Amino acid sequence: MKIIKSLLIMVLAFFMNGCSDFLDPDSLSTFDTQYVFSNVDDARKATNAIYAHFSEDAFRSRLSNNMTGNTDIEQNSGTGSTARYEIWRLEAQPNNGDLKIVWEVAYRAIRDANIVIEGISSSAALNSTDAAIQNDMKQFLGEAYTLRAYWYSMLIYHFGDVPFSTKAPKPGVEFNLPKEDRNVILSSLIQDLINAEAGMKWADELPFGIEQVNREYTLGMISRLALQRGGYFLKPDMTMERKSDYLDYYAIARDYSKKLIDLKDRALPKDFRQVFLNQSKFIVASNSDMLFEVPFAIGEGDVGWNIGIRVDSGSHPYGAGSNYMSVPPTYYYSFDKKDIRRDVTCGLYFRDKDFKQQMVAVGSISQGKWSREFLNPPPGPSTDKGTGINWPMMRYADVLLMFAEADNELNNGPTPAAKEAFKRVRQRAFDEADWAIKVDQYIAAASSKQAFFKAIVDERAWEFGGEMIRKYELIRWNLYDTKINETITGLKKLADDAFYGLGTLPDYLYWKYDTSGKLVILNPDTKLLAAPDASWTRFSWLIGLHRTPNAADPSAYQTWITTNWANYTKAPVRYIMPIPSVAVTNSLGLLKNDGYGFNF
């Protein structure tokens, strides 16, 4: 479905002019907001203007994926010198261009949301005697609150305490604001969504379904924000803290995830691959796993360009796309080999210039959930960006696991309800014949609070790999440095085992093409000394984790193992980024980059 995508591109930019300051109202006051919010059609257009910011680089490449590494399940090289490499290395300076565009676009989106919130809240149409008009206005209001909450959540994760503006631009309103405590902001946002969600519509009641913020997503966002508020965060003195009232927010997370489960439950689709294939095939399915996905128009969006299966440019009609966030082999081998999610999430091949599948290097395993090769019709040989593939914002599996996590925390151990929610997610990962051992016994063994929490941490990694939410989870769990150190240690062990001929995992893979031309790997999980016959090609695999596998020095690991996460190994990880220079300058002394060990 591309209708809403076209609307977002065509919508009149009521509130989208450039601004010299991140909260500068520009020419917004020239619009007659009373008129705009007096009728459904114009109120819809005004709300669409908030969505339009998703089509800017600040989201489509930065917040959606580029700025969300490195983690234990997603990583990228730290050797470049551009803005994104500084961010990946946690070495970004205040003049970093990527931080600047994220900051400015986030506040423009917040500004536009504030205009909609204030305009609808003061409009007679919100209390119209026409039920259809009133319901539409409540829906738009809920969309604006939810979108505003998303942008503030991202600002908080990346910048810590930030200015908190909730007023629409108009004469006499001060928009040069100091930082507000992030927990105050989150508490306010959560309450906004609690107040709004009951007036919203389910996805199957909306014209654009899951391509539009709906009640399912808002309920899920209440839980996600509550876990953020109840989780750990980095303070300016470089300590991690969780507020003493954190259980109150775990209770909100549990209650509102359960509310969605009770009011609008749905079976998870059995085919895990199809959930993401839908996005590449432009199939929009309500009452399924995906709750909300950002709608990109054809010609917009970077999915399949900077994330997904690599496709080299050639004479074939699919164009070119790369993958900025690789999967470390430790993540690939953390999966149970029967877990069907592994081969969906982890791409062991790329497409060459002739569109033939080729093996990837062990350090370049792709995010396998999306690929421009799935586009139908093919976009053309000269294409690259702008695939039109939607980006997932939340799935129902996330809601089930948030409920399980919060319920476990509140009850000092897993309840039957928490186990059942967890079970529903894990069952999809295995053939039914394996459920007794891989699901039932596995969950039964996680009988304590800590064991069940560890199972949640692992399951979320396997379920959401490549969806680029792991960074935020590691932060709120205070596990960032722990998981990074486990990854580095695990990679070195894989390298050493291969170097010394230990273990059972493959030093080399053996592969060939089947009769249909598909690449087939003989031994993805097993060490083989030789191929069974000459039809198989040997390919360096875990032995490649050493730079010089035949050298006498066994410590000669591939450089990326020791450099990509170099600034993530000490507790606490300094994940907070500096406020952009332009915002500091324009604040006239209200904002500064103090704390967090910054030395600018």
Side-chain angles (χ1 to χ4, degrees):
M1 179 183 291
K2 292 293 176 187
I3 299 174
I4 191 171
K5 300 181 181 188
S6 299
L7 288 177
L8 297 186
I9 297 303
M10 295 171 61
V11 64
L12 292 174
F14 284 178
F15 321 119
M16 297 261 313
N17 294 329
C19 56
S20 59
D21 195 0
F22 68 94
L23 287 174
D24 186 346
D26 248 8
S27 59
L28 302 179
S29 59
T30 64
F31 289 97
D32 186 345
T33 55
Q34 276 192 327
Y35 169 76
V36 169
F37 297 105
S38 68
N39 65 91
V40 167
D41 288 344
D42 286 328
R44 173 73 268 172
K45 291 176 184 177
T47 308
N48 284 353
I50 313 171
Y51 288 86
H53 296 288
F54 284 134
S55 291
E56 299 183 65
D57 276 346
F59 176 82
R60 68 186 183 191
S61 63
R62 272 65 171 183
L63 281 181
S64 61
N65 53 82
N66 276 1
M67 288 176 62
T68 54
N70 290 321
T71 71
D72 55 331
I73 69 175
E74 298 131 351
Q75 58 92 20
N76 200 295
S77 169
T79 58
S81 59
T82 60
R84 65 174 179 267
Y85 287 95
E86 290 182 357
I87 291 171
W88 291 335
R89 290 195 302 264
L90 302 183
E91 295 175 349
Q93 302 296 299
N95 63 353
N96 184 284
D98 284 1
L99 296 183
K100 177 178 181 290
I101 67 166
V102 167
W103 180 274
E104 291 183 343
V105 171
Y107 276 108
R108 289 173 194 160
I110 289 165
R111 175 197 64 192
D112 294 351
N114 288 341
I115 292 169
V116 173
I117 290 166
E118 190 168 302
I120 292 178
S121 296
S122 61
S123 171
L126 182 62
N127 298 304
S128 172
T129 56
D130 185 320
I133 292 175
Q134 183 181 134
N135 291 340
D136 281 342
M137 289 297 189
K138 288 180 178 179
Q139 170 63 27
F140 303 156
L141 186 61
E143 291 179 42
Y145 275 125
T146 305
L147 292 169
R148 183 176 74 177
Y150 166 78
W151 285 100
Y152 269 125
S153 172
M154 292 297 99
L155 284 170
I156 287 168
Y157 267 129
H158 291 284
F159 299 102
D161 298 340
V162 295
F164 185 39
S165 171
T166 60
K167 294 182 179 180
K170 56 187 175 184
V173 174
E174 178 58 62
F175 285 96
N176 189 18
L177 301 173
K179 295 178 185 178
E180 177 60 271
D181 185 305
R182 73 201 76 183
N183 295 295
V184 171
I185 299 174
L186 288 169
S187 295
S188 178
L189 298 173
I190 291 165
Q191 190 59 54
D192 288 339
L193 300 196
I194 288 174
N195 294 342
E197 62 86 9
M200 297 180 69
K201 299 178 183 181
W202 303 113
D204 59 11
E205 299 174 323
L206 292 170
F208 306 117
I210 61 170
E211 290 186 317
Q212 182 176 350
V213 168
N214 49 66
R215 191 179 181 189
E216 289 102 315
Y217 178 62
T218 298
L219 284 166
M221 276 296 289
I222 293 171
S223 295
R224 182 176 281 180
L225 291 168
L227 289 176
Q228 182 179 0
R229 172 62 174 80
Y232 289 89
F233 60 95
L234 182 64
K235 297 171 60 182
D237 65 0
M238 289 299 291
T239 60
M240 293 292 284
E241 179 181 306
R242 179 163 68 173
K243 290 296 186 182
S244 60
D245 60 355
Y246 75 95
L247 287 179
D248 294 342
Y249 289 91
Y250 271 79
I252 291 172
R254 177 198 59 192
D255 293 347
Y256 280 86
S257 54
K258 187 175 188 300
K259 184 172 186 177
L260 177 53
I261 294 168
D262 288 344
L263 293 179
K264 198 68 171 175
D265 195 16
R266 74 282 311 275
L268 293 177
K270 293 182 179 180
D271 189 341
F272 186 70
R273 182 180 296 278
Q274 189 64 44
V275 173
F276 309 98
L277 194 60
N278 283 350
Q279 295 175 320
S280 296
K281 297 293 186 184
F282 309 137
I283 298 169
V284 180
S286 295
N287 294 322
S288 190
D289 195 358
M290 203 66 66
L291 301 185
F292 171 54
E293 56 189 32
V294 170
F296 286 122
I298 294 174
E300 292 290 333
D302 289 352
V303 187
W305 155 249
N306 66 0
I307 186 167
I309 297 291
R310 170 185 152 197
V311 179
D312 290 345
S313 178
S315 58
H316 61 80
Y318 288 90
S322 56
N323 181 62
Y324 289 3
M325 284 290 167
S326 300
V327 170
T330 42
Y331 175 56
Y332 179 81
Y333 286 111
S334 73
F335 283 89
D336 187 294
K337 63 183 179 181
K338 290 188 174 183
D339 191 329
I340 62 176
R341 295 173 295 191
R342 183 177 75 170
D343 290 344
V344 175
T345 304
C346 306
L348 300 190
Y349 73 91
F350 70 94
R351 294 278 186 177
D352 67 12
K353 64 182 181 62
D354 299 315
F355 206 61
K356 291 187 67 175
Q357 291 183 328
Q358 303 289 351
M359 290 291 304
V360 297
V362 69
S364 301
I365 303 173
S366 294
Q367 307 289 351
K369 288 177 175 175
W370 307 277
S371 177
R372 63 192 308 114
E373 69 183 288
F374 303 146
L375 293 171
N376 187 19
S382 63
T383 58
D384 41 47
K385 290 189 172 193
T387 62
I389 299 172
N390 286 1
W391 181 253
M393 295 290 276
M394 186 178 291
R395 295 195 281 116
Y396 193 57
D398 196 345
V399 173
L400 293 170
L401 291 178
M402 285 193 291
F403 170 79
E405 178 185 345
D407 199 53
N408 177 63
E409 186 72 25
L410 291 164
N411 289 287
N412 203 34
T415 63
K419 291 180 180 179
E420 179 60 26
F422 186 103
K423 179 179 180 180
R424 292 178 61 184
V425 175
R426 191 163 176 86
Q427 280 180 332
R428 179 171 60 181
F430 296 92
D431 290 334
E432 190 169 352
D434 296 318
W435 283 359
I437 295 174
K438 302 299 183 181
V439 179
D440 298 338
Q441 288 186 24
Y442 181 87
I443 295 173
S447 57
S448 68
K449 176 183 177 182
Q450 190 56 39
F452 194 75
F453 171 70
K454 181 182 182 303
I456 290 284
V457 171
D458 291 341
E459 202 69 26
R460 292 189 68 87
W462 299 321
E463 180 70 20
F464 302 112
E467 295 172 61
M468 311 308 291
I469 60 174
R470 185 67 165 181
K471 174 179 181 177
Y472 310 126
E473 296 170 348
L474 296 180
I475 290 168
R476 67 177 180 83
W477 291 329
N478 195 19
L479 288 178
Y480 214 156
D481 63 287
T482 299
K483 285 298 179 182
I484 294 304
N485 282 302
E486 287 178 4
T487 298
I488 295 171
T489 299
L491 287 167
K492 289 180 177 179
K493 185 178 188 307
L494 290 178
D496 290 344
D497 283 353
F499 183 87
Y500 290 113
L502 304 175
T504 61
L505 295 176
D507 308 336
Y508 298 89
L509 296 179
Y510 293 87
W511 68 272
K512 66 179 179 181
Y513 296 113
D514 65 15
T515 55
S516 68
K518 181 180 179 182
L519 188 150
V520 177
I521 300 173
L522 176 65
N523 61 317
D525 299 289
T526 307
K527 186 191 299 288
L528 288 181
L529 298 179
D533 57 62
S535 67
W536 297 91
T537 299
R538 191 177 83 157
F539 185 81
S540 176
W541 194 237
L542 295 180
I543 196 72
L545 292 174
H546 275 285
R547 292 199 302 272
T548 52
N550 296 317
D553 181 7
S555 65
Y557 304 111
Q558 287 289 349
T559 303
W560 60 268
I561 296 176
T562 55
T563 60
N564 282 11
W565 295 281
N567 291 328
Y568 294 79
T569 59
K570 295 181 181 179
V573 176
R574 191 180 71 180
Y575 63 86
I576 294 292
M577 302 292 171
I579 296 172
S581 298
V582 64
V584 173
T585 300
N586 290 343
S587 75
L588 302 178
L590 282 180
L591 300 180
K592 62 179 67 175
N593 279 306
D594 50 349
Y596 304 109
F598 292 144
N599 185 23
F600 306 126

